[in-house]
Amino acid sequence: MIIQLIVSGILLGGIYALLSVGLSLILGVSKFVNFAHGDFVMVGMYIAFACYTAFRLDPYFSWPIVIVLALVFGAAVFFFARFTIGKPDLNQILFTLGLSMVLQNTVLLFYKSDFKTIPSRFNSSIQVGEVYISEAMLITFLIAVAITAVFLCFIRFTNTGRAMRAVGDDRNAGLLMGIPVGRIDLITFCLGTVLACIAGSLLMTVYPTTPTIGSGYNLIAWVTVVLGGLGYLQGALMSAVLIGVCETVSGFYLGADMRQAVYYLLFVIVLIIRPGGLFSGMSMRKVKRA
């Protein structure tokens, strides 16, 4: 049974990783504290639901529309958010909390408060030994891992990715070296929004959505990012898998009501023992070697 729970947790952690990497990117490059990130995920879920109701498109095939709309949405939000970049964190926190309320109430106006679901064509399970793997979760996990891998390669090997990492290390030095910091902030914000919306559309294949569901995903994203080390993308990936396993194991043995309490307790313990995050030391070593 424990193997079954661990496998389910890893599958869930892959989706959480995609959800959290966008937040870690925005925080690491632009130093922007986004408390509306979970609502970006909620927007992605409703975009997938709108595509299904309008065109009968499965979330696995509606990703081009999700990406385009997410880019437009991210650019529109950045138009207002850019005035708070470089300002005290309190300005960004208040802005994103207000944005969260606006997004929730806007969606509530159009879709009401009832749960929205999309019927999945993948309802069966695959048996591997004594472990049963949901087809929907497996496909969602593989897509999430593939998108995350492509994104990390983009950050690592492209000129734009190098510029983003340079701006994240030192914005003033980036300006002196001729990097268009404002444009990098825009690209970063749009990429982070796209990743959040894609994560939302994938989550729509296995979970229902409501206008207020973003609050829960926002907490998961922040716990993942802080556990992994602020702005450290690989740390966010590893901590996402850890949280997914903690959630499934604790949910089975302690009950669904206690599953979040376990990783919040882990979160508090890590903040006390290692405030920089579980993998922050790895991040510093990589920076020093570079």
Side-chain angles (χ1 to χ4, degrees):
M1 178 57 70
I2 189 65
I3 298 177
Q4 174 75 63
L5 295 174
I6 291 174
V7 170
S8 299
I10 292 173
L11 295 179
L12 182 62
I15 307 174
Y16 284 172
L18 182 60
L19 184 155
S20 305
V21 162
L23 176 62
S24 184
L25 174 72
I26 295 173
L27 185 63
V29 175
S30 300
K31 305 299 185 288
F32 185 82
V33 182
N34 184 8
F35 275 84
H37 189 76
D39 296 285
F40 292 1
V41 177
M42 178 269 294
V43 168
M45 297 179 83
Y46 274 97
I47 291 176
F49 179 75
C51 291
Y52 176 78
T53 55
F55 309 111
R56 293 296 167 184
L57 279 178
D58 192 279
Y60 297 123
F61 303 108
S62 62
W63 59 267
I65 299 176
V66 173
I67 290 176
V68 171
L69 293 180
L71 285 172
V72 174
F73 172 66
V77 172
F78 177 78
F79 179 80
F80 299 98
R82 62 194 175 99
F83 297 107
T84 65
I85 295 178
K87 299 296 190 297
D89 292 344
L90 181 61
N91 293 15
Q92 300 168 4
I93 292 172
L94 292 176
F95 169 77
T96 53
L97 287 176
L99 176 63
S100 173
M101 289 187 287
V102 169
L103 292 176
Q104 290 181 17
N105 284 280
T106 301
V107 173
L108 184 64
L109 178 66
F110 288 98
Y111 288 99
K112 309 306 177 187
S113 60
D114 53 322
F115 286 90
K116 304 295 184 182
T117 59
I118 296 178
S120 176
R121 66 179 65 184
F122 304 101
N123 296 317
S124 58
S125 298
I126 301 172
Q127 184 177 2
V128 181
E130 297 182 355
V131 176
Y132 290 86
I133 302 174
S134 167
E135 284 186 350
M137 283 294 295
L138 179 61
I139 294 173
T140 300
F141 170 80
L142 293 176
I143 295 174
V145 169
I147 293 172
T148 304
V150 170
F151 168 74
L152 291 178
C153 290
F154 169 81
I155 295 295
R156 179 71 176 175
F157 299 111
T158 66
N159 290 332
T160 302
R162 296 188 187 99
M164 292 167 70
R165 286 187 283 133
V167 171
D169 287 338
D170 194 320
R171 295 178 66 84
N172 293 328
L175 282 170
L176 293 175
M177 300 307 295
I179 297 176
V181 174
R183 187 184 305 168
I184 293 299
D185 285 333
L186 172 61
I187 294 173
T188 300
F189 211 91
C190 288
L191 278 178
T193 305
V194 166
L195 290 174
C197 288
I198 292 177
S201 66
L202 292 177
L203 283 167
M204 197 65 192
T205 61
V206 290
Y207 296 116
T209 184
T210 64
T212 58
I213 201 170
S215 300
Y217 290 130
N218 190 57
L219 290 173
I220 292 173
W222 272 104
V223 169
T224 302
V225 168
V226 173
L227 283 180
L230 293 176
Y232 181 41
L233 298 180
Q234 289 86 345
L237 297 178
M238 291 182 279
S239 60
V241 174
L242 176 62
I243 288 176
V245 173
C246 285
E247 184 172 330
T248 54
V249 173
S250 60
F252 179 81
Y253 287 107
L254 302 179
D257 295 337
M258 293 296 295
R259 60 183 182 178
Q260 291 183 335
V262 172
Y263 62 75
Y264 286 148
L265 178 61
L266 175 64
F267 173 68
V268 172
I269 293 173
V270 170
L271 284 181
I272 294 173
I273 299 176
R274 195 178 179 88
L278 288 174
F279 309 101
S280 57
M282 296 172 60
S283 176
M284 290 302 296
R285 287 196 296 273
K286 289 190 176 184
V287 170
K288 289 178 181 178
R289 289 174 184 171

